[in-house]
mmCIF file of all heavy atoms in Angstrom:
data_model
loop_
_atom_site.group_PDB
_atom_site.id
_atom_site.type_symbol
_atom_site.label_atom_id
_atom_site.label_comp_id
_atom_site.label_asym_id
_atom_site.label_seq_id
_atom_site.Cartn_x
_atom_site.Cartn_y
_atom_site.Cartn_z
ATOM 1 N N LYS A 32 6.472 6.099 14.668
ATOM 2 C CA LYS A 32 5.452 6.619 15.568
ATOM 3 C C LYS A 32 4.180 6.972 14.804
ATOM 4 O O LYS A 32 4.222 7.576 13.745
ATOM 5 C CB LYS A 32 5.978 7.855 16.290
ATOM 6 C CG LYS A 32 5.122 8.257 17.471
ATOM 7 C CD LYS A 32 5.795 9.324 18.276
ATOM 8 C CE LYS A 32 6.662 8.633 19.283
ATOM 9 N NZ LYS A 32 6.944 9.451 20.452
ATOM 10 N N VAL A 33 3.046 6.573 15.373
ATOM 11 C CA VAL A 33 1.746 6.812 14.757
ATOM 12 C C VAL A 33 0.924 7.706 15.673
ATOM 13 O O VAL A 33 0.922 7.535 16.895
ATOM 14 C CB VAL A 33 1.012 5.477 14.509
ATOM 15 C CG1 VAL A 33 -0.383 5.715 13.956
ATOM 16 C CG2 VAL A 33 1.815 4.591 13.571
ATOM 17 N N TYR A 34 0.230 8.661 15.089
ATOM 18 C CA TYR A 34 -0.632 9.574 15.824
ATOM 19 C C TYR A 34 -2.070 9.404 15.357
ATOM 20 O O TYR A 34 -2.328 8.872 14.288
ATOM 21 C CB TYR A 34 -0.210 11.029 15.587
ATOM 22 C CG TYR A 34 1.143 11.368 16.151
ATOM 23 C CD1 TYR A 34 2.291 11.262 15.379
ATOM 24 C CD2 TYR A 34 1.277 11.796 17.461
ATOM 25 C CE1 TYR A 34 3.533 11.576 15.891
ATOM 26 C CE2 TYR A 34 2.519 12.119 17.985
ATOM 27 C CZ TYR A 34 3.634 12.006 17.198
ATOM 28 O OH TYR A 34 4.864 12.317 17.714
ATOM 29 N N GLN A 35 -2.986 9.913 16.169
ATOM 30 C CA GLN A 35 -4.406 9.899 15.823
ATOM 31 C C GLN A 35 -4.924 11.325 15.922
ATOM 32 O O GLN A 35 -4.704 12.008 16.917
ATOM 33 C CB GLN A 35 -5.156 8.991 16.788
ATOM 34 C CG GLN A 35 -6.590 8.773 16.436
ATOM 35 C CD GLN A 35 -7.244 7.780 17.379
ATOM 36 O OE1 GLN A 35 -6.773 7.522 18.466
ATOM 37 N NE2 GLN A 35 -8.352 7.227 16.962
ATOM 38 N N ARG A 36 -5.610 11.769 14.863
ATOM 39 C CA ARG A 36 -6.141 13.138 14.855
ATOM 40 C C ARG A 36 -7.308 13.225 15.820
ATOM 41 O O ARG A 36 -8.166 12.357 15.865
ATOM 42 C CB ARG A 36 -6.608 13.527 13.463
ATOM 43 C CG ARG A 36 -7.107 14.967 13.395
ATOM 44 C CD ARG A 36 -7.793 15.186 12.066
ATOM 45 N NE ARG A 36 -8.447 16.452 11.978
ATOM 46 C CZ ARG A 36 -9.679 16.718 12.422
ATOM 47 N NH1 ARG A 36 -10.373 15.800 13.010
ATOM 48 N NH2 ARG A 36 -10.207 17.912 12.277
ATOM 49 N N ASP A 37 -7.319 14.283 16.604
ATOM 50 C CA ASP A 37 -8.394 14.503 17.565
ATOM 51 C C ASP A 37 -9.109 15.808 17.212
ATOM 52 O O ASP A 37 -9.180 16.158 16.041
ATOM 53 C CB ASP A 37 -7.808 14.533 18.979
ATOM 54 C CG ASP A 37 -8.838 14.249 20.054
ATOM 55 O OD1 ASP A 37 -9.877 13.654 19.742
ATOM 56 O OD2 ASP A 37 -8.595 14.619 21.218
ATOM 57 N N THR A 38 -9.590 16.514 18.158
ATOM 58 C CA THR A 38 -10.406 17.703 17.924
ATOM 59 C C THR A 38 -9.576 18.930 17.564
ATOM 60 O O THR A 38 -8.363 18.962 17.772
ATOM 61 C CB THR A 38 -11.232 18.038 19.178
ATOM 62 O OG1 THR A 38 -10.344 18.206 20.276
ATOM 63 C CG2 THR A 38 -12.220 16.933 19.481
ATOM 64 N N TYR A 39 -10.250 19.944 17.054
ATOM 65 C CA TYR A 39 -9.627 21.230 16.738
ATOM 66 C C TYR A 39 -9.668 22.094 17.994
ATOM 67 O O TYR A 39 -10.722 22.262 18.620
ATOM 68 C CB TYR A 39 -10.380 21.912 15.602
ATOM 69 C CG TYR A 39 -9.782 23.233 15.190
ATOM 70 C CD1 TYR A 39 -8.587 23.283 14.502
ATOM 71 C CD2 TYR A 39 -10.414 24.426 15.502
ATOM 72 C CE1 TYR A 39 -8.023 24.489 14.120
ATOM 73 C CE2 TYR A 39 -9.868 25.640 15.120
ATOM 74 C CZ TYR A 39 -8.671 25.664 14.430
ATOM 75 O OH TYR A 39 -8.117 26.859 14.062
ATOM 76 N N ASN A 40 -8.530 22.638 18.369
ATOM 77 C CA ASN A 40 -8.425 23.503 19.531
ATOM 78 C C ASN A 40 -8.546 24.945 19.054
ATOM 79 O O ASN A 40 -7.614 25.497 18.483
ATOM 80 C CB ASN A 40 -7.086 23.262 20.229
ATOM 81 C CG ASN A 40 -6.942 24.041 21.504
ATOM 82 O OD1 ASN A 40 -7.606 25.060 21.710
ATOM 83 N ND2 ASN A 40 -6.052 23.579 22.367
ATOM 84 N N ARG A 41 -9.692 25.560 19.280
ATOM 85 C CA ARG A 41 -9.941 26.923 18.779
ATOM 86 C C ARG A 41 -9.036 27.954 19.436
ATOM 87 O O ARG A 41 -8.664 28.935 18.815
ATOM 88 C CB ARG A 41 -11.399 27.311 19.001
ATOM 89 C CG ARG A 41 -12.339 26.553 18.116
ATOM 90 C CD ARG A 41 -13.775 26.947 18.401
ATOM 91 N NE ARG A 41 -14.666 26.068 17.696
ATOM 92 C CZ ARG A 41 -15.550 26.468 16.812
ATOM 93 N NH1 ARG A 41 -15.688 27.743 16.541
ATOM 94 N NH2 ARG A 41 -16.322 25.605 16.212
ATOM 95 N N GLU A 42 -8.708 27.733 20.687
ATOM 96 C CA GLU A 42 -7.856 28.674 21.395
ATOM 97 C C GLU A 42 -6.447 28.721 20.792
ATOM 98 O O GLU A 42 -5.893 29.784 20.571
ATOM 99 C CB GLU A 42 -7.764 28.265 22.868
ATOM 100 C CG GLU A 42 -7.647 29.419 23.813
ATOM 101 C CD GLU A 42 -7.797 28.955 25.241
ATOM 102 O OE1 GLU A 42 -8.943 28.818 25.698
ATOM 103 O OE2 GLU A 42 -6.750 28.726 25.873
ATOM 104 N N ALA A 43 -5.889 27.556 20.508
ATOM 105 C CA ALA A 43 -4.539 27.466 19.939
ATOM 106 C C ALA A 43 -4.556 27.547 18.416
ATOM 107 O O ALA A 43 -3.515 27.719 17.796
ATOM 108 C CB ALA A 43 -3.881 26.158 20.364
ATOM 109 N N LYS A 44 -5.739 27.394 17.818
ATOM 110 C CA LYS A 44 -5.914 27.369 16.363
ATOM 111 C C LYS A 44 -5.094 26.248 15.732
ATOM 112 O O LYS A 44 -4.455 26.423 14.696
ATOM 113 C CB LYS A 44 -5.557 28.716 15.740
ATOM 114 C CG LYS A 44 -6.460 29.834 16.191
ATOM 115 C CD LYS A 44 -6.124 31.127 15.513
ATOM 116 C CE LYS A 44 -7.060 32.222 16.016
ATOM 117 N NZ LYS A 44 -6.716 33.513 15.480
ATOM 118 N N LYS A 45 -5.102 25.087 16.402
ATOM 119 C CA LYS A 45 -4.372 23.913 15.927
ATOM 120 C C LYS A 45 -5.186 22.661 16.226
ATOM 121 O O LYS A 45 -6.099 22.679 17.039
ATOM 122 C CB LYS A 45 -3.014 23.814 16.621
ATOM 123 C CG LYS A 45 -2.085 24.957 16.279
ATOM 124 C CD LYS A 45 -0.753 24.804 16.950
ATOM 125 C CE LYS A 45 0.157 25.967 16.566
ATOM 126 N NZ LYS A 45 1.462 25.843 17.195
ATOM 127 N N PHE A 46 -4.816 21.571 15.555
ATOM 128 C CA PHE A 46 -5.468 20.288 15.782
ATOM 129 C C PHE A 46 -4.695 19.507 16.836
ATOM 130 O O PHE A 46 -3.466 19.427 16.780
ATOM 131 C CB PHE A 46 -5.525 19.471 14.484
ATOM 132 C CG PHE A 46 -6.523 19.999 13.498
ATOM 133 C CD1 PHE A 46 -6.134 20.908 12.526
ATOM 134 C CD2 PHE A 46 -7.842 19.602 13.543
ATOM 135 C CE1 PHE A 46 -7.044 21.405 11.621
ATOM 136 C CE2 PHE A 46 -8.759 20.094 12.638
ATOM 137 C CZ PHE A 46 -8.370 21.000 11.675
ATOM 138 N N ASP A 47 -5.417 18.931 17.796
ATOM 139 C CA ASP A 47 -4.807 18.074 18.799
ATOM 140 C C ASP A 47 -4.571 16.708 18.177
ATOM 141 O O ASP A 47 -5.429 16.171 17.479
ATOM 142 C CB ASP A 47 -5.710 17.928 20.021
ATOM 143 C CG ASP A 47 -5.870 19.230 20.777
ATOM 144 O OD1 ASP A 47 -4.902 20.007 20.829
ATOM 145 O OD2 ASP A 47 -6.961 19.464 21.330
ATOM 146 N N CYS A 48 -3.409 16.115 18.435
ATOM 147 C CA CYS A 48 -3.049 14.800 17.902
ATOM 148 C C CYS A 48 -2.534 13.947 19.046
ATOM 149 O O CYS A 48 -1.705 14.392 19.835
ATOM 150 C CB CYS A 48 -1.993 14.940 16.822
ATOM 151 S SG CYS A 48 -2.520 16.004 15.469
ATOM 152 N N ILE A 49 -3.021 12.723 19.129
ATOM 153 C CA ILE A 49 -2.700 11.824 20.226
ATOM 154 C C ILE A 49 -1.647 10.820 19.779
ATOM 155 O O ILE A 49 -1.794 10.186 18.735
ATOM 156 C CB ILE A 49 -3.968 11.073 20.687
ATOM 157 C CG1 ILE A 49 -5.044 12.069 21.114
ATOM 158 C CG2 ILE A 49 -3.644 10.098 21.799
ATOM 159 C CD1 ILE A 49 -6.408 11.446 21.282
ATOM 160 N N ASP A 50 -0.625 10.653 20.589
ATOM 161 C CA ASP A 50 0.408 9.641 20.352
ATOM 162 C C ASP A 50 -0.183 8.291 20.736
ATOM 163 O O ASP A 50 -0.577 8.082 21.886
ATOM 164 C CB ASP A 50 1.638 9.966 21.189
ATOM 165 C CG ASP A 50 2.780 8.989 20.987
ATOM 166 O OD1 ASP A 50 2.588 7.976 20.302
ATOM 167 O OD2 ASP A 50 3.863 9.248 21.524
ATOM 168 N N THR A 51 -0.255 7.359 19.810
ATOM 169 C CA THR A 51 -0.926 6.083 20.062
ATOM 170 C C THR A 51 -0.123 5.149 20.959
ATOM 171 O O THR A 51 -0.680 4.192 21.489
ATOM 172 C CB THR A 51 -1.233 5.351 18.742
ATOM 173 O OG1 THR A 51 -0.015 5.152 18.026
ATOM 174 C CG2 THR A 51 -2.205 6.142 17.905
ATOM 175 N N THR A 52 1.163 5.400 21.162
ATOM 176 C CA THR A 52 1.971 4.526 22.008
ATOM 177 C C THR A 52 2.175 5.073 23.410
ATOM 178 O O THR A 52 2.791 4.414 24.236
ATOM 179 C CB THR A 52 3.364 4.297 21.376
ATOM 180 O OG1 THR A 52 4.014 5.561 21.219
ATOM 181 C CG2 THR A 52 3.246 3.603 20.036
ATOM 182 N N ASP A 53 1.661 6.253 23.702
ATOM 183 C CA ASP A 53 1.853 6.884 25.006
ATOM 184 C C ASP A 53 0.611 6.670 25.861
ATOM 185 O O ASP A 53 -0.453 7.206 25.556
ATOM 186 C CB ASP A 53 2.128 8.375 24.818
ATOM 187 C CG ASP A 53 2.570 9.054 26.098
ATOM 188 O OD1 ASP A 53 2.522 8.411 27.165
ATOM 189 O OD2 ASP A 53 2.959 10.227 26.038
ATOM 190 N N ILE A 54 0.750 5.916 26.950
ATOM 191 C CA ILE A 54 -0.412 5.613 27.787
ATOM 192 C C ILE A 54 -0.920 6.829 28.557
ATOM 193 O O ILE A 54 -2.048 6.830 29.034
ATOM 194 C CB ILE A 54 -0.119 4.461 28.769
ATOM 195 C CG1 ILE A 54 1.018 4.832 29.717
ATOM 196 C CG2 ILE A 54 0.195 3.191 28.028
ATOM 197 C CD1 ILE A 54 1.187 3.866 30.864
ATOM 198 N N TRP A 55 -0.111 7.855 28.688
ATOM 199 C CA TRP A 55 -0.519 9.058 29.403
ATOM 200 C C TRP A 55 -1.291 10.022 28.514
ATOM 201 O O TRP A 55 -1.796 11.033 28.973
ATOM 202 C CB TRP A 55 0.687 9.753 30.011
ATOM 203 C CG TRP A 55 1.388 8.879 30.999
ATOM 204 C CD1 TRP A 55 2.581 8.255 30.833
ATOM 205 C CD2 TRP A 55 0.922 8.489 32.286
ATOM 206 N NE1 TRP A 55 2.886 7.502 31.933
ATOM 207 C CE2 TRP A 55 1.889 7.630 32.845
ATOM 208 C CE3 TRP A 55 -0.220 8.772 33.011
ATOM 209 C CZ2 TRP A 55 1.746 7.058 34.094
ATOM 210 C CZ3 TRP A 55 -0.359 8.205 34.269
ATOM 211 C CH2 TRP A 55 0.609 7.364 34.795
ATOM 212 N N GLY A 56 -1.370 9.742 27.232
ATOM 213 C CA GLY A 56 -2.155 10.578 26.340
ATOM 214 C C GLY A 56 -1.457 11.828 25.870
ATOM 215 O O GLY A 56 -2.091 12.740 25.354
#
Side-chain angles (χ1 to χ4, degrees):
K32 194 171 272 204
V33 176
Y34 294 92
Q35 187 176 19
R36 183 191 172 275
D37 201 21
T38 57
Y39 181 72
N40 185 338
R41 290 178 189 239
E42 214 170 276
K44 296 183 180 175
K45 295 182 179 180
F46 287 92
D47 293 325
C48 302
I49 302 167
D50 181 353
T51 58
T52 59
D53 190 352
I54 61 169
W55 299 107

